[in-house]
Amino acid sequence: MNADIASRAHGDAPSRGVLRRYGEHLPISDRTPLISLGEGDTPLVRSTSIERDVGCAELYFKLESCNPTGSFKDRGMVVAVAKAIEDGATALMCASTGNTSASAAAYGGRYGLAVYVIVPDGKPGSPSGIARGKMAQGVVHGAEIIAVEGNFDAALRMAREITSRHAIALVNSVNPFRIEGQKTAAFEIADALDDAPDVLAIPVGNAGNITAYWKGFVEYHRLERTSRRPRMLGFQAAGAAPLVGGAPVEDPQTVASAIRIGNPASWKTAIEARDASGGSISAVTDDEILAAYGRLAREEGIFCEPASAACVAGILKSAAAGQDFAGQTVVCIITGSGLKDPETALRSEPAVHRVPAELDAIEREMGWA
Ligand code: F0G
């Protein structure tokens, strides 16, 4: 490890992070720097309201939005960046719908690596770009942001090509170290519940995360840390549901910009997770996503991004369609924070009471006078 990174890494101890906490399950060596930004160890919060509608015994939300950059990507990024540093890399690249790039930018900045991110362009008025908060993260962490006139799938093709030509480490989930890091969320859930849940509900875009969770649950089961493996229920947005339709989608469209992906890189492993677990991958409409997004915020106190709400929309839809979850433990993965996408939150005119700065005006307005 070079001295600069060693000196940066030594301040990392108080919060253990993924590499220290789960190192025995990760492909690291004594040359891998144990870097961390405090990722992992996220809350598993019981539902107060949606659980009743699903009709299961217990419903939990795994708040991956509580990771340092506000999404689950940090778990995988910390391993991918550690391995890149071990390999002597000085630059990182990813294609992204915004969260991978935010995470790469943060870890790259912290450990002194150049970061290049390729994102779908979102000119004003265009519905194709990444959420504003995610763009802000890339900017403040100092990444070079390359916005292309194309979707995520095109951006990923170019990132793969460029990193094969130049000495830049690719940190998309096609990098196996990303999957390794992300599987630790499955370990945390099993550790917290003392077993695997019966059902894991998860949004699916590029399909790395469903692949990672399944790998984690399979490994823990093999080690006899759990008595079972969950049924994996993946959910895609209806306008971007290649795994549901069985064919790539040329022009994916959904309000859930994080999962606006037409040709997932981890297609095969997502289907394997679905089939080996006895699960399914199905679609939810944007209206269903936004309804679940609103309920999560109003009734559960959870402000997530639309992509995250897809799995809650999906589990509610499955229950309403007659799937029986009685007696089961269900975990929904809240993959990213709602603060990343304020535009979706404020799509309708905010319900703000505008009054003069006078007590009686407030009392009149609120009907207390
Ligand atoms: N939820 C959020 C908030 C995401 O950012 C993503 C993917 C997913 C779900 C889907 O996970 O791709 O592993 O199936 N975001 C990637 C990105 C594509 O570039 O940030 P997946």
Side-chain angles (χ1 to χ4, degrees), residues 72-73 96-100 203-209 258-259 261 305 307 335:
F72 69 95
K73 304 289 181 177
S96 185
T97 55
N99 280 325
T100 301
V204 177
N206 210 27
N209 213 25
I259 53 173
I261 294 174
E305 58 176 293
T335 48

Side-chain angles (χ1 to χ4, degrees), residues 70-73 94-102 134 152 172-173 178-179 182 202-211 236 257-261 264 266 305-308 333-337 340:
S71 87
F72 69 95
K73 304 289 181 177
C94 64
S96 185
T97 55
N99 280 325
T100 301
S101 51
K134 302 175 187 181
F152 169 84
N172 278 105
S173 58
R178 281 275 316 279
I179 304 293
Q182 284 171 213
I202 184 168
V204 177
N206 210 27
N209 213 25
I210 190 172
T211 300
Q236 298 202 288
S257 58
I259 53 173
R260 195 183 284 146
I261 294 174
S266 297
E305 58 176 293
S308 310
I333 309 303
I334 303 300
T335 48
S337 166
K340 286 172 174 278

Side-chain angles (χ1 to χ4, degrees), residues 273-334:
R274 178 195 72 185
D275 295 345
S277 74
S280 61
I281 299 178
S282 19
V284 284
T285 64
D286 279 6
D287 285 348
E288 289 162 343
I289 289 171
L290 290 174
Y293 167 87
R295 278 196 71 180
L296 276 162
R298 287 191 308 272
E299 299 172 25
E300 302 277 7
I302 294 171
F303 184 25
C304 66
E305 58 176 293
S308 310
C311 70
V312 177
I315 207 83
L316 283 165
K317 185 177 184 170
S318 305
Q323 262 198 57
D324 186 7
F325 295 103
Q328 308 210 331
T329 300
V330 177
V331 175
C332 294
I333 309 303
I334 303 300

